[in-house]
Amino acid sequence: MQDMGATVLAVALLATAVAVTEPVTCQVSSAPHASSLLAIAKTYQGPSPSLHPETQLRPSEGGAPDVIQFSVLPKSFMGLDFAAQTWKADVVISLSWHDNRATRLIPAGHSEITVSEESAANGLWTPDVVVTNIDLEGSEAVISTNFRVNNRGIVNKTQRIICRLVADFRLQSFPYDTQDLYVKLASRTYMSDDLKMEAMSTADTSAEVSDLFSDVNWVLNSAKQLTVEEEDGALRKSRGELMLSITHDPSGIYSSSVLPAVLLVILSYTVFLMPMDKAFVMPRVATGMIAFLSLLTLSQQSLDNLPPINGICWLELFDVLCRFLVFITVVLNIFVEVICYQWYLPEMGHRVSREIMMLYPVVTVFTLGIVFMAKESWYLLVAKFLRIFLICGSLLFVSVWSRIAALQMKENSMEEKFE
């Protein structure tokens, strides 16, 4: 009896194990039951976002272009990068347009409502206006975006961004250059047939942004809001632009490049103020060489931050001529040393050195004076003329005195023979 009971219990346990481990299949057999399951799933996942059909159509769809009023106000100027041809700024962009359909978002009893960018994407039509001259390799940081709708159907969008913008710098007159900086706006979606940009104000707004340039080496000339119609084949765009016209304040370049170069030119001149004794041969040569090498290093540092220029800029013209002047002092000093200690004509060497002491300041003032007075269109001509003038003048000076020294040595040799 006990054996039979144990057998029955074992069979029961085995049947229970099979029932537990067997896969359970569920089949929805009725439509109402399926609908309830879908409803439960949607409740679990949350409501899916949906676009209102009207947000896909312009307010004046099929009619005249919609007018988008714009305003661009820079909050801070973060500098220019000449080598990368970019500039960086923190700007506030305001857009305004009319759309009566937007009034449905305003709760009853209210005259206006402010919505976020995410909410506006589902319930508002937007012109999809963006900054079009952003540097693709740079960065853009959107700090804030909001939409404000009033009961008259006016939609205002305000966005603050920090962006790096592409520019076309004109550097031929650097550091006396004037640059035009642009913030360009246009719709990514709509052509000029569908959307027109219109400045909120066409007046000069330089008074509002003049403080941005108080701590940098730039002076603001003007700030204007412009509307431009561009047509490039099938691409027809209405663009809004903020144009900032700024002029370089050269004081920073003077202190970092121009003044040190002039001091090195003066330093190279001091070799002719040293005594002509043998003890000063090395100091004279070393002073000239140190001045020349220092000027090469200074010039390289000054011009490294400039992009390739078609032609020559003022700073490059100045640096080239300063290098010529210093190199001439090195060559003339060696020439004087040769006259004194290789040709054994010390009196003539002293005489040549005195003439250089008188002529060199005149040539330097003449050369640099022309450089400072030269206009942009003359830079290449001035550079060629002054280089030819310095080279030919130095060669003529050395040739004349070499001829005089040769005659003097010949005369001295004749006297030695007669003696």
Side-chain angles (χ1 to χ4, degrees):
M1 192 69 178
Q2 292 180 350
D3 294 340
M4 183 180 293
T7 302
V8 172
L9 180 60
V11 171
L13 290 175
L14 181 60
T16 303
V18 172
V20 171
T21 57
E22 183 179 0
V24 178
T25 60
C26 179
Q27 183 176 2
V28 179
S29 58
S30 62
H33 185 56
S35 299
S36 62
L37 290 177
L38 290 175
I40 294 172
K42 287 184 177 180
T43 303
Y44 177 77
Q45 294 175 356
S48 59
S50 61
L51 295 176
H52 196 284
E54 292 182 350
T55 63
Q56 307 302 306
L57 301 176
R58 295 186 298 111
S60 304
E61 187 69 36
D66 288 290
V67 177
I68 309 299
Q69 292 187 315
F70 73 93
S71 174
V72 182
L73 179 65
K75 289 186 63 67
S76 65
F77 173 73
M78 302 179 182
L80 281 69
D81 186 343
F82 287 126
Q85 293 278 307
T86 59
W87 66 288
K88 192 173 183 179
D90 179 358
V91 297
V92 176
I93 301 172
S94 300
L95 302 175
S96 179
W97 64 92
H98 186 267
D99 188 355
N100 285 323
R101 301 169 301 179
T103 57
R104 68 175 181 274
L105 300 178
I106 303 176
H110 293 76
S111 60
E112 63 179 18
I113 185 175
T114 300
V115 297
S116 65
E117 186 175 17
E118 292 76 10
S119 300
N122 297 327
L124 281 177
W125 174 85
T126 59
D128 198 19
V129 172
V130 296
V131 180
T132 59
N133 62 325
I134 285 183
D135 181 23
L136 296 179
E137 297 181 358
S139 58
E140 176 188 9
V142 178
I143 298 176
S144 64
T145 304
N146 69 74
F147 292 79
R148 183 176 291 271
V149 183
N150 62 25
N151 54 11
R152 292 175 296 154
I154 303 299
V155 182
N156 294 299
K157 176 184 177 182
T158 304
Q159 185 175 58
R160 180 181 175 184
I161 62 174
I162 297 176
C163 51
R164 189 181 301 276
L165 303 163
V166 176
D168 183 16
F169 297 131
R170 302 181 303 273
L171 300 174
Q172 280 73 19
S173 299
F174 183 86
Y176 305 104
D177 52 312
T178 297
Q179 305 295 344
D180 293 334
L181 308 179
Y182 290 91
V183 180
K184 299 183 179 181
L185 305 177
S187 173
R188 288 187 298 189
T189 306
Y190 298 101
M191 299 291 185
S192 58
D193 297 337
D194 301 322
L195 184 146
K196 296 287 187 183
M197 301 294 292
E198 181 181 283
M200 293 183 182
S201 173
T202 58
D204 189 343
T205 57
S206 56
E208 301 177 18
V209 296
S210 58
D211 293 340
L212 300 181
F213 301 91
S214 58
D215 298 329
V216 294
N217 293 325
W218 293 93
V219 178
L220 179 66
N221 300 324
S222 64
K224 296 181 180 179
Q225 311 273 353
L226 307 172
T227 302
V228 179
E229 299 291 329
E230 290 186 359
E231 183 172 349
D232 187 8
L235 183 66
R236 300 182 304 276
K237 289 289 186 179
S238 177
R239 301 187 186 276
E241 298 179 352
L242 167 69
M243 186 192 76
L244 302 175
S245 176
I246 57 176
T247 299
H248 209 155
D249 179 5
S251 58
I253 302 298
Y254 277 173
S255 60
S256 63
S257 299
V258 175
L259 182 59
V262 172
L263 292 178
L264 289 173
V265 172
I266 296 173
L267 176 64
S268 68
Y269 169 71
T270 60
V271 301
F272 301 108
L273 303 179
M274 297 181 186
M276 292 297 297
D277 299 338
K278 286 186 177 181
F280 286 89
V281 171
M282 189 59 192
R284 286 165 64 102
V285 174
T287 301
M289 292 300 299
I290 290 173
F292 181 68
L293 295 176
S294 300
L295 187 58
L296 286 178
T297 303
L298 178 66
S299 300
Q300 190 66 32
Q301 292 176 350
S302 301
L303 299 175
D304 270 351
N305 294 327
L306 297 180
I309 301 174
N310 184 19
I312 185 172
C313 70
W314 184 91
L315 185 60
E316 188 176 1
L317 171 65
F318 175 80
D319 283 338
V320 166
L321 293 175
C322 285
R323 282 180 290 192
F324 264 88
L325 289 170
V326 175
F327 181 73
I328 286 172
T329 62
V330 175
V331 173
L332 293 180
N333 178 54
I334 294 175
F335 178 64
V336 171
E337 303 292 349
V338 169
I339 294 176
C340 290
Y341 303 112
Q342 187 170 349
W343 295 347
Y344 302 104
L345 299 173
E347 293 182 0
M348 182 176 290
H350 284 74
R351 183 180 172 186
V352 172
S353 181
R354 286 194 299 270
E355 290 199 8
I356 294 174
M357 288 172 58
M358 293 184 292
L359 290 175
Y360 187 80
V362 175
V363 172
T364 300
V365 172
F366 172 76
T367 301
L368 296 183
I370 291 180
V371 171
F372 278 98
M373 292 187 297
K375 296 182 179 179
E376 181 177 333
S377 58
W378 297 356
Y379 288 164
L380 284 175
L381 181 62
V382 168
K384 291 179 181 178
F385 167 73
L386 290 179
R387 280 184 285 192
I388 293 173
F389 167 74
L390 293 175
I391 293 173
C392 293
S394 302
L395 290 176
L396 179 62
F397 183 86
V398 172
S399 300
V400 169
W401 278 107
S402 296
R403 179 60 179 168
I404 295 174
L407 294 175
Q408 184 65 45
M409 287 188 293
K410 184 177 180 181
E411 182 180 345
N412 291 343
S413 63
M414 294 292 292
E415 290 178 358
E416 290 177 0
K417 286 182 179 180
F418 283 116
E419 290 178 0

